[in-house]
Amino acid sequence: MTRAQLLEFLRAHRYAVQASVSPAGRPQAAVVGIIVSDRFEIFFDTLAETRKARNLRHNAGIAFVFGGTGPDAERTAQVEGVTDEPGGAELERLKDQYLARFPDGVERQQWPGLIYLRARPTWIRYSDFRSVPPTIVEFSAEELEGP
């Protein structure tokens, strides 16, 4: 599994399961519509009053799971990272990609309290259970930075 193949696998998914932790230490998970940039940034929108937004503003740590829930789901990626709310040119760069994938997001921009979150991965584990033994490859933040 190369960096380029990992990026292709992640981008094949429109949705991922996102997980965070509340200030009280309780887990929270949700399915979110995502894009993955060339830098492996995972970007999505949500409302500011959602549990995920409140949790991530308190503790920026985030996790995602890609794949693994449907037919032929023998491939998955687990992602750990840190979130922020980008602004300026960074926000516009990511929003352009997001709105190209989710055109309905243009209308959502009018919703009161809509925010955009970016996760920067610190670790990714790709697993392919279609072979014996399975292929399992881990990528560090440095390896994800690219050539």
Side-chain angles (χ1 to χ4, degrees), residues 15-95:
Y15 302 96
V17 176
Q18 162 277 317
S20 62
V21 178
S22 76
R26 293 188 182 103
Q28 176 273 328
V31 174
V32 292
I34 51 91
I35 60 101
V36 180
S37 77
D38 289 341
R39 301 175 192 166
F40 286 86
E41 300 157 299
I42 301 168
F43 185 78
F44 60 98
D45 67 7
T46 190
L47 295 173
E49 70 271 5
T50 61
R51 291 188 310 155
K52 73 178 83 55
R54 289 192 312 264
N55 293 349
L56 293 166
R57 284 179 168 160
H58 177 77
N59 175 347
I62 193 167
F64 293 92
V65 174
F66 287 74
T69 59
D72 302 317
E74 294 91 358
R75 298 187 307 154
T76 66
Q78 301 167 52
V79 179
E80 292 178 5
V82 178
T83 57
D84 68 353
E85 294 181 49
E90 288 292 293
L91 175 60
E92 293 309 313
R93 172 181 63 85
L94 292 163
K95 268 178 49 176

Side-chain angles (χ1 to χ4, degrees), residues 66-141:
F66 287 74
T69 59
D72 302 317
E74 294 91 358
R75 298 187 307 154
T76 66
Q78 301 167 52
V79 179
E80 292 178 5
V82 178
T83 57
D84 68 353
E85 294 181 49
E90 288 292 293
L91 175 60
E92 293 309 313
R93 172 181 63 85
L94 292 163
K95 268 178 49 176
D96 286 347
Q97 294 174 51
Y98 184 82
L99 296 175
R101 185 167 217 186
F102 295 99
D104 59 317
V106 172
E107 185 178 311
R108 275 197 308 280
Q109 290 180 97
Q110 305 307 313
W111 293 5
L114 187 75
I115 62 170
Y116 296 92
L117 296 171
R118 165 179 54 189
R120 294 180 180 174
T122 55
W123 174 86
I124 298 178
R125 171 184 261 175
Y126 170 83
S127 300
D128 184 343
F129 296 99
R130 296 176 297 179
S131 62
V132 177
T135 301
I136 299 174
V137 182
E138 293 186 7
F139 294 83
S140 67

